[in-house]
């Protein structure tokens, strides 16, 4: 009996992506997998039902759950949506369970085997499955566009009959995938770009894109390609040193995040108050609370003359390509769970599979999530 994979319509507010792409349906059917898609699932991503050739369309989420052995999603389901799934269903999605204890409890109650795409180890073999990177690239691109749109100045240098317009200075804080894409896009738009990251090895990456690396005295090399969390003393020193550079910026783009923890507060109110008239802050870490102490997630505010923009779910603003990239990430990961005949045979000895495993047989399997939950519950 063929494995049945379901794609629901996303229900999170403002979410425009869908967890499938027509080209991926073709790949799945070649593996013998039957694909079920909820009607209208691709509407917000500008993908009509007629484009899902080879898939079986179902009328609603309840019917999809009844038909599916595996469910792919972009955003985590609500507890009520989990209750509609058949016991033992396999769920593959971006789950962020440490921020959603009610959903996690529902997954346990229904004995759902769940894999969090955000939990996939960041190793070379898993690059094609790295959802954080694929979606962060979109966020970095959009951040530069947002900055250019909101800023009261041109990005490029212009030579006109009325004289020469000097280029804007853009500073990018945090040089992961999002930061690198923000640097590259701002450079293409003609801005002068400087960038900073606590990891010293990023200097070469920054300079390779034609930007200038800001070098401070603080280093915070962490595990798995991430930066470690700074101590209070290190954070204060970092803020003081950065303030002098930020005072000259026309646009500041911040992307610094620590997995499973609130975004580090790098830009205090005093730094904002020292910025240029009309300066703009694009805080890509808004979903984690923001890198700026004044950021209000999901809002655009002004502090004096400085505009602070805290966008949420940025990748969803480019839904066609974001969905395509996300679906390919899901497909590449799911290939580790099925054999050539399309049978579900996960190898729990594989470091990628076990690394992404969140729940199984009513238990939370991911050690990092267990530790975060214990800490969260202990603080209540």
């Amino acid at each position: 009996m063929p494995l049945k994979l379901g794609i629901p319509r996303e229900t999170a507010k403002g979410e425009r992506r869908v967890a499938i792409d027509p080209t991926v349906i073709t790949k799945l059917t070649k593996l013998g997998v039957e694909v079920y898609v909820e009607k209208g699932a691709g509407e917000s991503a500008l993908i009509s039902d007629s484009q899902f050739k080879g898939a079986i369309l179902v009328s609603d989420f309840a019917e999809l759950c009844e038909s599916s052995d595996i469910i792919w999603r972009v955003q985590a389901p609500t507890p009520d949506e989990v209750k509609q799934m058949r016991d033992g269903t396999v769920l593959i999605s971006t789950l962020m369970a440490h921020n959603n204890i009610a959903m996690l409890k529902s997954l346990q109650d229904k004995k759902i085997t769940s894999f969090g795409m955000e939990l996939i180890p960041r190793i070379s073999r898993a690059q094609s499955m790295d959802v954080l990177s694929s979606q962060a690239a979109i966020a970095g691109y959009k951040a530069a566009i947002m900055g250019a749109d909101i800023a009261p100045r041109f990005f490029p240098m212009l030579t006109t009959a009325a004289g020469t317009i000097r280029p804007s200075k853009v500073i990018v804080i945090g040089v992961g995938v999002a930061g690198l894409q923000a640097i590259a896009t701002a450079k293409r738009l003609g801005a002068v770009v400087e960038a900073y990251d606590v990891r010293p090895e990023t200097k070469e990456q920054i300079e390779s894109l034609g930007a200038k690396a800001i070098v401070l005295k603080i280093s915070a090399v962490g595990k798995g390609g991430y930066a470690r969390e700074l101590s209070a003393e290190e954070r204060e020193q970092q803020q003081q040193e950065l303030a002098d550079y930020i005072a000259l910026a026309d646009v500041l783009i911040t992307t610094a995040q620590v997995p499973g923890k609130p975004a580090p507060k790098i830009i205090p109110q005093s730094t904002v108050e020292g910025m240029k008239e009309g300066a703009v802050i694009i805080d890509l870490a808004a979903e984690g609370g923001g890198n700026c102490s004044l950021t209000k997630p999901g809002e655009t505010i002004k502090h004096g003359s400085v505009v602070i923009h805290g966008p949420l779910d940025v990748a969803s603003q480019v839904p066609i390509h974001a969905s395509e990239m996300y679906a390919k990430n899901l497909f590449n990961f799911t290939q580790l769970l099925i054999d050539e005949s399309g049978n579900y045979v996960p190898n729990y000895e594989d470091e990628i599979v076990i690394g992404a495993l969140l729940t199984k047989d009513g238990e939370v399997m991911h050690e990092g999530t267990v530790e975060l939950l214990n800490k969260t519950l202990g603080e209540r």
Side-chain angles (χ1 to χ4, degrees):
M1 207 171 165
L3 193 66
K4 298 176 180 179
L5 186 146
I7 309 295
R9 185 172 188 150
E10 295 295 320
T11 55
K13 183 180 178 181
E15 182 55 68
R16 297 178 61 195
R17 293 170 291 177
V18 61
I20 197 65
D21 179 78
T23 60
V24 173
I25 292 176
T26 303
K27 293 178 180 179
L28 287 165
T29 54
K30 284 181 179 178
L31 291 175
V33 177
E34 284 186 0
V35 181
Y36 291 76
V37 179
E38 184 179 353
K39 288 181 179 178
E43 276 182 6
S44 294
L46 304 176
I47 305 173
S48 64
D49 288 343
S50 63
Q51 290 177 263
F52 293 127
K53 297 187 186 326
I56 300 165
L57 296 176
V58 297
S59 60
D60 55 32
F61 184 66
E63 185 181 350
L64 183 86
C65 290
E66 202 53 44
S67 304
S68 305
D69 303 309
I70 298 177
I71 291 177
W72 283 1
R73 292 187 69 111
V74 176
Q75 298 255 18
T78 65
D80 286 341
E81 287 172 331
V82 174
K83 289 175 185 175
Q84 294 182 65
M85 297 179 194
R86 297 195 327 240
D87 286 12
T89 299
V90 177
L91 172 66
I92 308 175
S93 178
T94 304
L95 295 170
M96 302 297 183
H98 59 282
N99 288 330
N100 198 339
I101 296 174
M103 177 211 63
L104 185 62
K105 182 69 167 60
S106 295
L107 293 175
Q108 291 178 265
D109 291 343
K110 294 287 287 186
K111 292 184 168 51
I112 303 293
T113 297
S114 64
F115 295 93
M117 291 299 288
E118 77 282 4
L119 302 177
I120 289 176
R122 305 194 90 176
I123 58 177
S124 296
R125 191 164 64 88
Q127 285 181 349
S128 65
M129 312 162 203
D130 190 346
V131 163
L132 297 180
S133 290
S134 71
Q135 304 304 291
I138 295 169
Y141 162 79
K142 285 297 289 185
I145 301 295
M146 291 173 192
D149 181 43
I150 298 171
R153 300 174 173 90
F154 283 121
F155 262 32
M157 181 176 76
L158 296 178
T159 302
T160 74
T164 299
I165 305 294
R166 294 177 62 84
S168 290
K169 174 173 282 190
V170 174
I171 292 181
V172 178
I173 305 292
V175 188
V177 174
L180 289 169
Q181 192 59 247
I183 292 167
T185 305
K187 283 292 294 181
R188 291 188 198 105
L189 291 172
V192 172
V193 184
E194 296 183 355
Y196 167 75
D197 195 288
V198 290
R199 298 166 298 158
E201 65 270 20
T202 61
K203 183 175 184 290
E204 185 177 339
Q205 294 173 306
I206 293 167
E207 292 173 346
S208 72
L209 293 172
K212 179 183 176 183
I214 295 172
V215 180
L216 305 184
K217 297 174 183 176
I218 299 293
S219 174
V221 180
K223 295 180 181 179
Y226 292 105
R228 66 171 173 82
E229 191 171 16
L230 298 177
S231 68
E233 293 78 11
E234 288 174 324
R235 194 176 300 112
E236 184 178 353
Q237 182 182 343
Q238 179 192 59
Q239 290 173 356
Q240 290 173 351
E241 291 188 55
L242 278 175
D244 291 338
Y245 290 94
I246 292 170
L248 303 176
D250 297 298
V251 174
L252 172 65
I253 298 172
T254 67
T255 73
Q257 300 193 60
V258 179
K261 296 183 180 181
K265 298 298 183 189
I266 299 172
I267 314 300
Q269 181 174 326
S270 58
T271 298
V272 176
E273 291 172 349
M275 293 180 76
K276 278 183 178 181
E277 292 288 321
V280 174
I281 298 174
I282 306 295
D283 195 339
L284 282 187
E287 291 195 37
N291 293 141
C292 177
S293 62
L294 299 175
T295 296
K296 292 188 177 180
E299 297 183 30
T300 302
I301 64 169
K302 288 186 77 174
H303 185 79
S305 69
V306 178
V307 176
I308 305 169
H309 184 48
L312 302 176
D313 195 15
V314 178
S316 190
Q317 296 181 28
V318 189
I320 294 175
H321 284 143
S323 297
E324 178 183 338
M325 294 163 76
Y326 186 80
K328 288 176 179 177
N329 292 148
L330 286 169
F331 175 76
N332 291 330
F333 174 71
T334 302
Q335 281 188 294
L336 299 179
L337 308 179
I338 59 178
D339 62 19
E340 293 179 358
S341 301
N343 300 305
Y344 179 69
V345 285
N347 175 14
Y348 291 117
E349 298 299 316
D350 188 308
E351 64 179 318
I352 298 174
V353 174
I354 197 64
L357 182 64
L358 178 65
T359 60
K360 182 176 179 289
D361 299 328
E363 300 292 331
V364 179
M365 306 298 293
H366 185 258
E367 290 183 10
T369 301
V370 172
E371 291 173 8
L372 286 168
L373 286 173
N374 289 339
K375 182 179 179 182
T376 300
L377 294 171
E379 291 173 349
R380 290 185 173 181

